[in-house]
Amino acid sequence: MGPYAVCPKQVLSLTLPGAPPLAPSSLPTPDSRLSPLPSPLSPPPITLDADVYYPDGPGPFPVLLMRQPYGRSIASTVVYAHPTWYASHGYIVVIQDVRGRGSSSGDFRLFEHEAEDGAATVEWVANLPKSSGEVGMYGFSYQGMTQLYAATHRPEPLKVLAPAMVGYDLYADWAYENGALLLQAGLGWAFQLAAETARRSGDAAAYQALYQAGHHLPLDGPVPADPALLHDLAPDSFFHDWRNHPHPDAYWQSLQPDLTGVDLPMLHIGGWFDPYLRGTLRLYQHMQAQGNAQQNAHQHLWIGPWGHLPWSRRVGMRDFGPAAENPVDRLQLRWFNQFLKGRDEGFGQTASVRLFDMGTNRWQDWPHWPQPAPTPYLLTSTGLAGMRPDDGHLWPDAAPLDPGYDVIVHDPWRPVPSLGGHSGVPSGSFDRAAIDGRSDVLTYSTPPLTAPLQVAGTPSLTLYLTADAPSVDISAVLSEVYPDGRVFNLTQGYGRFDLSDLPAPLGSKAPHPVTLPLQPTHFTLPQGHALRLSLATAAFPAYPVNSGTGANGNPVPQIDHRLITLALWHGQGTASCLHLPIGPVVP
């Protein structure tokens, strides 16, 4: 703990009008409540409740604010130290229930009020007793997004952010991945938020049913992505909107936080097995692109070997060592000390990107996000890559061989299961050797390495496909193959692809090229190990099964799902290829 004792927690409330939000010049302060009282015809005022933790001292103290939808007492302690720890280091810490959550009044609509409510709250906490008038925000996931929404209004007291694991583009980084719905993560979250709504209304039966569904997803209905229970008990759930908007249309654009012109220092925290890593990286790169040299020095990115939670050394079945233990609390304290207390904590002199290398199990500093020129690894086989692990090969810098293909027959009765990675629940790295042994999974491996191989950046695939269906899903997993036969996933990608023409028998039309980016990653494989690419047409329940009908935006009952025969082509003219960002091996 720090040098300060912490006073007993206070519960304070910010009152906002029930009518449209106030203009910035008239935002309320702790000493000004709205008057006169609303007329009977006016919407009732909105009260946002917060726990406030004070250091026991005269102050003034900067304020750290977190706004979250899970009941403020938890205060994101699933990944962060308790607010009393931050308060003991000389900060007023405010944990607020967003509108319609916890004990705050109003109706909860996903992200709808977070910009206005967040800006109002920043102004409010800046005027708390003993406040220095300067505010920083922290939090991950939804709590990370509330920081971005508040920043869109540019409240003057807001000086610094620490957004962790955010889906910056809500369509491409949160709800969908390359056109495929994140089913398991999204549906589980929908049941969790719906259960909180039932708890607030006192509906014990609905709460228990939603709780049960959230812990054991009801995926055995006619349409797994559209369970009847969610319709019956949560007809206003955001998940209905997400499923009904499978393309990046105006619905998604209306929810996008506009950070144009925002130049706040941001400490970006991500995890290699976090489903929203794409958003964390997108936000970092956006802020870098629109900033000047000084502002860019104030954008720092840390990515550890973590899932969405917890942030610890063990992720799935792998132990990444003591260096992977959660460093974020001490890191954030230094970050806020520099930008809210004026202390030189060295952020201007250190590398702005720090990435954990899964393999050497240590942190590595980079001056910027690594973007080495990709090295092509060609996929080759004799056509038995789905039948034998020794048939499919990854060859770097090899001339394309004679044309050939491998075939997958996708059976919706027994789709290839998801296991770990960034989109599965639980997330992380697992031994997937048994899955790779299925005949509907194609595997392509390098020979055992004669020297260590470091990968840092965003791998991608160019694949040449033909299929007897109008669209197909591709699941791609990069894994480390141990000499004893264990196969541990390191990164993966998933996408749904329109093949742009009518279904046709295998071999009767030209192969169609598709590009699939994988999850950003950083790993080093040791000598004697091998790298493997596994390809399949499903990863259920992380993503919905492709029905084979081409009805991407409409629910298709499982009874109408079709078998899909897909051919992956390789060789001269159809060189299916893994593009690998290989960096120098650090001794």
Side-chain angles (χ1 to χ4, degrees):
M1 300 293 282
Y4 292 92
V6 180
C7 299
K9 176 182 70 178
Q10 298 183 30
V11 179
L12 299 179
S13 299
L14 164 65
T15 301
L16 297 171
L22 295 174
S25 60
S26 60
L27 292 170
T29 70
D31 299 319
S32 67
R33 293 296 184 259
L34 300 174
S35 60
L37 293 175
S39 73
L41 297 179
S42 300
I46 302 298
T47 301
L48 304 181
D49 294 338
D51 291 339
V52 182
Y53 301 84
Y54 274 98
D56 189 4
F61 301 107
V63 180
L64 298 183
L65 170 64
M66 177 191 294
R67 306 187 62 252
Q68 56 87 58
Y70 303 112
R72 63 187 182 274
S73 292
I74 195 170
S76 288
T77 51
V78 290
V79 292
Y80 297 112
H82 192 269
T84 53
W85 186 85
Y86 288 93
S88 75
H89 288 84
Y91 289 91
I92 301 169
V93 184
V94 180
I95 312 295
Q96 184 187 65
D97 289 329
V98 301
R99 182 184 300 218
R101 300 284 94 175
S103 62
S104 292
S105 64
D107 295 324
F108 176 73
R109 299 290 298 172
L110 196 73
F111 300 124
E112 187 172 306
H113 299 286
E114 305 306 358
E116 295 82 3
D117 289 359
T121 301
V122 168
E123 298 281 358
W124 177 66
V125 301
N127 288 282
L128 289 171
K130 297 186 181 181
S131 168
S132 69
E134 296 195 337
V135 179
M137 294 184 72
Y138 75 107
F140 85 118
S141 195
Y142 197 101
Q143 299 86 275
M145 293 298 293
T146 59
Q147 299 176 55
L148 306 185
Y149 285 112
T152 63
H153 281 227
R154 304 189 201 178
E156 193 280 331
L158 186 59
K159 304 300 183 184
V160 59
L161 303 181
M165 297 187 175
V166 293
Y168 181 38
D169 182 321
L170 290 172
Y171 173 80
D173 302 332
W174 194 311
Y176 285 80
E177 180 177 344
N178 301 306
L181 178 71
L182 271 80
L183 173 60
Q184 193 173 23
L187 187 57
W189 192 41
F191 280 118
Q192 180 184 4
L193 293 181
E196 168 64 6
T197 300
R199 185 198 65 77
R200 282 169 52 88
S201 67
D203 190 337
Y207 175 87
Q208 198 58 43
L210 292 163
Y211 178 94
Q212 179 72 12
H215 287 80
H216 304 280
L217 294 183
L219 299 172
D220 54 355
V223 181
D226 191 23
L229 182 67
L230 197 65
H231 274 285
D232 295 341
L233 299 183
D236 59 348
S237 171
F238 72 89
F239 194 72
H240 306 307
D241 293 326
W242 285 18
R243 190 181 55 76
N244 291 329
H245 291 271
H247 305 291
D249 56 17
Y251 165 79
W252 298 104
Q253 186 59 40
S254 70
L255 296 174
Q256 179 67 29
D258 182 4
L259 296 178
T260 304
V262 173
D263 60 359
L264 294 172
M266 295 188 191
L267 176 62
H268 308 262
I269 303 294
W272 297 130
F273 298 104
D274 176 53
Y276 315 130
L277 177 58
R278 299 184 305 280
T280 294
L281 182 57
R282 189 190 306 272
L283 173 63
Y284 168 76
Q285 292 175 325
H286 178 198
M287 299 309 297
Q288 284 276 75
Q290 75 175 17
N292 56 39
Q294 180 180 4
Q295 292 164 353
N296 287 349
H298 295 164
Q299 301 295 320
H300 280 244
L301 172 68
W302 284 53
I303 304 177
W306 311 309
H308 201 55
L309 59 92
W311 303 345
S312 65
R313 60 187 284 176
R314 291 176 176 83
V315 189
M317 293 178 60
R318 291 190 68 170
D319 183 348
F320 290 104
E325 294 287 12
N326 185 350
V328 172
D329 292 304
R330 292 191 178 101
L331 175 64
Q332 285 190 152
L333 183 63
R334 292 175 46 228
W335 183 254
F336 290 128
N337 284 346
Q338 176 142 337
F339 292 103
L340 294 177
K341 294 187 175 182
R343 299 180 187 173
D344 185 358
E345 296 283 357
F347 284 102
Q349 293 77 47
T350 59
S352 62
V353 175
R354 179 163 252 215
L355 308 177
F356 191 90
D357 182 333
M358 299 180 292
T360 64
N361 290 353
R362 61 187 180 185
W363 293 91
Q364 185 172 335
D365 290 336
W366 299 78
H368 47 71
W369 174 253
Q371 293 178 309
T375 299
Y377 278 68
L378 298 179
L379 283 59
T380 67
S381 79
T382 70
L384 296 177
M387 307 306 297
R388 296 180 57 90
D390 59 356
D391 190 69
H393 298 283
L394 288 175
W395 294 114
D397 301 320
L401 303 179
D402 292 336
Y405 56 83
D406 290 295
V407 176
I408 294 174
V409 177
H410 162 73
D411 183 355
W413 183 267
R414 53 184 299 273
V416 175
S418 53
L419 178 66
H422 65 271
S423 57
V425 180
S427 62
S429 186
F430 294 85
D431 185 351
R432 55 172 287 119
I435 293 178
D436 281 355
R438 292 174 55 123
S439 61
D440 53 357
V441 177
L442 309 179
T443 60
Y444 303 87
S445 305
T446 66
L449 299 173
T450 58
L453 174 70
Q454 177 176 271
V455 173
T458 305
S460 66
L461 289 167
T462 300
L463 303 176
Y464 287 83
L465 309 175
T466 54
D468 61 354
S471 75
V472 296
D473 287 11
I474 296 294
S475 169
V477 182
L478 277 184
S479 303
E480 177 178 3
V481 182
Y482 284 68
D484 62 6
R486 290 175 296 155
V487 182
F488 282 93
N489 56 293
L490 293 164
T491 187
Q492 67 186 64
Y494 196 96
R496 179 159 292 184
F497 299 98
D498 180 358
L499 298 188
S500 301
D501 50 16
L502 295 175
L506 185 68
S508 65
K509 58 183 178 180
H512 186 98
V514 302
T515 300
L516 177 64
L518 275 60
Q519 178 93 331
T521 191
H522 185 15
F523 60 81
T524 298
L525 301 188
Q527 180 179 341
H529 291 215
L531 180 69
R532 173 176 291 177
L533 171 66
S534 305
L535 297 175
T537 53
F540 182 78
Y543 309 89
V545 172
N546 192 314
S547 69
T549 65
N552 186 27
N554 300 307
V556 178
Q558 292 191 88
I559 192 173
D560 296 326
H561 284 210
R562 298 179 44 222
L563 291 164
I564 299 174
T565 301
L566 175 142
L568 172 73
W569 292 76
H570 42 71
Q572 190 71 39
T574 54
S576 291
C577 184
L578 167 66
H579 307 282
L580 210 55
I582 296 177
V585 176
V586 177

